[in-house]
Each structure stands twice: as structure tokens, then as C-alpha cells.
Amino acid sequence: MKIERIEIRRIELPFVAPFETSGWRELANHSLIVRLQAEGAEGWGEAPVGAGPWYNEETQATAWVMARQILAPMLLEASIARPEDVDAVFTRVRGNRMARAGFEFAAWDLFGRLEGRSLSAMLGGTRAQVDVGVSVGVQPDIEALLRVVSAYVEAGYRRVKLKIKPGWDIEPTRAVRETWPNLRLQVDANSIYSLDQADQLAQLDAFDLLLIEQPLAHDDIVDHAKLQRRLRTPICLDESIVSPEHARWAIELQACGVINIKPSRVGGLTAARQIHAMCAEAGIPVWCGGMLETGIGRAANVALASLPNFSLPGDISASDRYFQRDVVRSPFVLNADSTLSVPTAPGTGAEVDEAFLDSVTLEKVDLTR
Ligand code: SMG
Ligand code: MG
């Protein structure tokens, strides 16, 4: 197949509330949205980059340049027989994995729509519903935190993740654990600690957490292995795992007990599926992380999370946890058992609301062969 037309846009879609991590605040989704057209069909993908290089090195500005000047021209020149081929088209490109993933997701969606197969079925998914949780940002004080968590628990979420940082770790986690003794609870530090804070992190062992996510540097694996030996709670790597090779290194070094797979972070669903298989083989449970995607990116995450070794709840909440209005006509809603239903329509199943998407688009380009 030859891709005939590529549309790329950068958007700004405000969140219902600001989202604060250990090191920065996000006020809106600043993704790139990619649309591929070929053989009378189209596919959509989202590169969920941030406004600044705070989570990883990519930003909306860098991804915009990469997408227009490098990636789209490469894909227009290539011939692909399957969605997995997109990965090979981009192998010469170093880094920039979220930008690459935007195109890769769109290719999966395009092939799925042409073949009449759901993305979940194409990937080898085995579940009709996926377990999900909610990620709770840093709050001004413990009272506010308990209010926010309480609202999510009332809404039906049975797994909660707390963002932590020095000065906002032990006490907030203790407060949530004491209020909800049976809640599935985990924490995420987004790379803010160093190994010499191991004793402080070990205090988190008291709270029966599912995992402690990415405590140390975004590009570290070795110190995480040292830290894991000093903790009872499994470490879960997020930022550090940017490819199947990184997953293999982490497994070999015993740097973690769990891996968070975000298909966007690793360049797409092809790499994500390889990491899933590698972890299944090594007995490492995985779960699907989130980048506060629109309904376009979220649909790809839900499909991926339907694979068998996604045995922990994902950071894939219902659309209304993020946006007043989503760019799709098929928003995800939370089922009573803290799951989301996996779409069965061809491709991702996302029905893009083009008029609304246009209204949140800052800039758009069209490229043709
Ligand atoms: O998509 O529900 C979501 C957000 C999940 O906490 C979340 N993501 O490090 O795992 C993580 C963060 C990265 C996004 S920060 C803007
Ligand atoms: Mg994380």
C-alpha cells in the first residue's frame, strides 16, 4: 500500500482540571493528530506529546517539525504491506518516538478499517473489557486529596494512582490508605528521587501498594536495580523503557517487578506488543499507561490493554475525567466494575468529530505523494 495523503495537526484541548506531577503542570492536551488516507479509507493516530519537554524530550513543537519535515515524507515514499512495516520505515530515525507513534497508530487504524477488523483483534487481544484506574495529580493539601480521591471512588474507580514527590509522598499515601484500606493503590514519582533517598522510599512499603512507578531518573535502569533490592514493593518502570531493548535490559538487571507500557513512549503498537510478549515470558506483569490522550489515542491504549499480560489496571480513565468534550463521538465511559469496554468496530473504533477537532486545532498541514 502507498499512503496517498497525510494530514497533521497540532491541537490544544483543555483538561477539566490542571494535572500536576512531581515536576510540572499540564493544563491541556497538546497532541499532534495524524490522519492517513489510502485506498479510499483513512486512519487516525495521536502523538501525545506535551507542551514542554518535562515527561520526555519531545514537545509539540519538536514533534510538529519532525512530523512535517521528516516522518510524513518518509512514509509517503514508502510502500507498506502491514501496519508493522511503519516501524521499519522509521528505523533510521533516532528517538522522537511519540511523533513516530502518531503515524504508526494511524496505520493500524487504516489497515483495520480496510480489513474490517478491530484493533484489539489485530493485536491479539483476549478481553472485551479492560480494568482501569485513575491517576491523581499532586494536590494543595491532604484534605483536597481525600476529596478528589473520594469523588473518583464514588464514580466507580477501584484503582488509584497518586503522584508523589519529596514532601508529598508518605503522608498523602498514608492518608489515602487509612481512608480506603482495600483500594488498589500505587504511586508515581516521575523521576524526582535519587538513590540516596532509598530509605525514604522504603517507608512506602508500609502501605500495601501495587507498585512504585519511576522513582529515579528518566533514563536510568542501573540505579533502579539497586533500589529494587532495598524495597519490598515492586518498582514499575515508565519513562526508562523506551524500546524493547530497554525492557530486556531492565528485566536482565532485575530493575523492576512491573512495566508500564505506553505505546506512544516506545514508538507505537508494534514495539509495545514486543515488550508485552517479552514481559509475559519473563513473568513481569504489565499495564497500559496514559498520556491524557484524546479519544483517538485512548482507543489505541484500550485495544492494547486487551492483550493477556496486561494484568494490572491501566491509566485509561473515562473521557469525562479529562475533557468536557472529546474530539470523538464515541467517548469512553466507566463500567460499574471499573472497566472500559474494548471497541469492536473496525480499526480503533474512534469516530472523529471533525468539526470539534477543527475548533481545537492550532495549525494543520496536508501532504500528498
Ligand atoms: O492518561 O490518565 C492519564 C494520565 C496518567 O499519570 C499519568 N501519566 O507518568 O504515568 C505518567 C503520567 C504522564 C503524563 S504527565 C502529563
Ligand atoms: Mg508514569
Side-chain angles (χ1 to χ4, degrees):
M1 172 198 285
K2 300 269 194 190
I3 302 294
E4 292 150 24
R5 176 170 169 265
I6 301 181
E7 176 191 275
I8 315 161
R9 45 175 104 210
R10 52 185 199 91
I11 67 165
E12 180 169 55
L13 181 63
F15 296 135
V16 287
F19 186 69
E20 188 169 331
T21 74
S22 61
W24 76 101
R25 251 173 161 231
E26 298 279 357
L27 304 178
N29 171 305
H30 288 98
S31 293
L32 248 52
I33 303 291
V34 175
R35 177 195 217 166
L36 302 181
Q37 292 181 337
E39 301 178 6
E42 63 180 21
W44 294 82
E46 174 172 358
V49 286
W54 321 129
Y55 169 79
N56 66 3
E57 80 290 356
E58 296 183 80
T59 71
Q60 189 183 58
T62 67
W64 178 247
V65 171
M66 279 301 301
R68 292 181 58 172
Q69 297 186 5
I70 310 282
L71 303 174
M74 284 175 103
L75 191 54
L76 284 170
E77 263 172 40
S79 178
I80 51 175
R82 327 171 295 154
E84 288 92 330
D85 293 344
V86 175
D87 218 29
V89 172
F90 294 149
T91 40
R92 288 189 297 133
V93 178
R94 303 289 180 245
N96 296 283
R97 291 183 174 88
M98 285 189 178
R100 279 154 53 183
F103 292 87
E104 204 256 10
F105 294 152
W108 281 95
D109 188 34
L110 173 66
F111 275 92
R113 285 173 202 253
L114 277 169
E115 292 166 8
R117 296 179 73 203
S118 74
L119 181 56
S120 169
M122 295 167 87
L123 293 170
T126 53
R127 295 192 184 94
Q129 280 91 29
V130 298
D131 277 324
V132 302
V134 63
S135 175
V136 177
V138 172
Q139 302 296 320
D141 51 47
I142 289 187
E143 202 179 306
L145 174 68
L146 294 179
R147 248 191 340 261
V148 171
V149 173
S150 174
Y152 287 134
V153 170
E154 293 275 295
Y157 291 103
R158 294 195 200 146
R159 189 282 264 157
V160 167
K161 164 167 130 179
L162 304 179
K163 291 290 189 183
I164 58 164
K165 63 178 183 178
W168 182 261
D169 44 19
I170 310 305
E171 292 318 315
T173 307
R174 185 197 312 281
V176 172
R177 175 47 83 219
E178 282 176 358
T179 312
W180 293 279
N182 299 319
L183 185 66
R184 301 178 88 184
L185 188 63
Q186 61 194 57
V187 295
D188 185 359
N190 286 107
S191 309
I192 198 79
Y193 295 92
S194 54
L195 192 54
D196 58 20
Q197 290 164 303
D199 288 341
Q200 186 174 346
L201 289 165
Q203 291 182 50
L204 292 167
D205 277 340
F207 305 125
D208 189 23
L209 302 178
L210 291 171
L211 53 92
I212 300 174
E213 186 176 342
Q214 197 72 33
L216 308 181
H218 70 99
D219 53 358
D220 169 79
I221 291 177
V222 173
D223 280 355
H224 278 104
K226 293 181 186 163
L227 178 63
Q228 182 66 90
R229 284 183 227 123
R230 296 173 62 177
L231 300 178
R232 265 190 297 121
T233 311
I235 288 177
C236 168
L237 291 178
D238 173 359
E239 284 89 327
S240 295
I241 307 299
V242 297
S243 72
E245 286 294 272
H246 289 75
R248 183 172 64 75
W249 298 332
I251 293 166
E252 285 184 12
L253 291 174
Q254 300 183 323
C256 59
V258 177
I259 289 181
N260 161 341
I261 303 183
K262 291 176 182 164
S264 62
R265 190 192 63 225
V266 300
L269 292 159
T270 306
R273 200 161 55 158
Q274 284 165 13
I275 296 172
H276 166 267
M278 197 182 282
C279 289
E281 168 104 25
I284 303 264
V286 304
W287 55 284
C288 185
M291 291 300 297
L292 300 106
E293 288 92 344
T294 72
I296 297 173
R298 184 172 325 287
N301 289 349
V302 169
L304 180 70
S306 71
L307 270 64
N309 190 36
F310 280 82
S311 48
L312 290 167
D315 274 348
I316 329 174
S317 310
S319 308
D320 66 2
R321 178 256 176 270
Y322 307 97
F323 311 110
Q324 220 138 57
R325 180 174 171 185
D326 204 337
V327 300
V328 296
R329 284 200 202 81
S330 44
F332 285 100
V333 284
L334 190 69
N335 299 322
D337 57 351
S338 195
T339 63
L340 296 185
S341 299
V342 181
T344 52
T348 63
E351 290 290 334
V352 177
D353 179 344
E354 271 192 68
F356 184 61
L357 180 61
D358 280 343
S359 76
V360 298
T361 296
L362 304 174
E363 204 172 350
K364 176 167 121 175
V365 286
D366 256 308
L367 298 127
T368 44
R369 287 175 59 80

